[in-house]
Amino acid sequence: MIRLFFLLLGLVFSQESLTFNYQSQYGNGTNINDTSNQEEVPYNYFENLLDINFNYNNLFFYTQLEYSNSPIYGYDRTKIKDLSNTYTLEYSDSKITLKYGHIQTLYGYGLMINMFQDQTADFDNRIKGLEFMYSPYDILDIFYIHGSGDY
């Protein structure tokens, strides 16, 4: 009985969370050919996305697994090495933020830096690298971003 009490107490006051989000899209029909003859061609897609988020105190981990055998846009992702196409590991407290992985960030209302992924249009201008931000005061942010990306 005492073990059950401590188990429930640990679950109630736990600082960790794990969430999953699964999205599947399927389509079967025809599309207009891009050539000048405007011919109808078969158009099929089957796209599966699994988002995994893990949060523990000041640590955050995110990954997106994609299996696409004919995606809506972009390239097929059917091999094991292609499934994990994005991940981020982040540490954050009141003054320091440190990110590693596929950096998605916004500075200067998006006029200075705006890196994001739009899955519906298969647009991704994020970089794979490191981001460090130090905020000693409410009105001052010092940040450093380093990495590279394929567009």
Side-chain angles (χ1 to χ4, degrees), residues 40-120:
E40 286 190 359
V41 295
Y43 179 62
N44 304 311
Y45 60 88
F46 183 51
E47 189 171 75
N48 298 282
L49 300 170
L50 176 64
D51 294 336
I52 302 171
N53 296 292
F54 179 72
N55 193 8
Y56 179 73
N57 290 337
N58 295 340
L59 288 174
F60 174 75
F61 175 73
Y62 165 80
T63 188
Q64 182 181 71
L65 306 173
E66 177 179 352
Y67 175 83
S68 299
N69 193 355
S70 294
I72 297 174
Y73 301 108
Y75 303 104
D76 288 354
R77 294 186 187 271
T78 56
K79 297 184 176 138
I80 296 290
K81 68 181 180 85
D82 295 333
L83 293 182
S84 179
N85 59 336
T86 184
Y87 62 89
T88 303
L89 180 62
E90 178 178 343
Y91 171 80
S92 181
D93 65 12
S94 62
K95 294 186 184 234
I96 293 175
T97 301
L98 181 64
K99 294 181 189 177
Y100 175 74
H102 293 87
I103 305 299
Q104 182 164 315
T105 192
L106 175 83
Y107 290 113
Y109 297 106
L111 297 174
M112 190 165 53
I113 292 178
N114 186 8
M115 294 184 287
F116 66 98
Q117 177 189 24
D118 183 4
Q119 191 70 40
T120 58

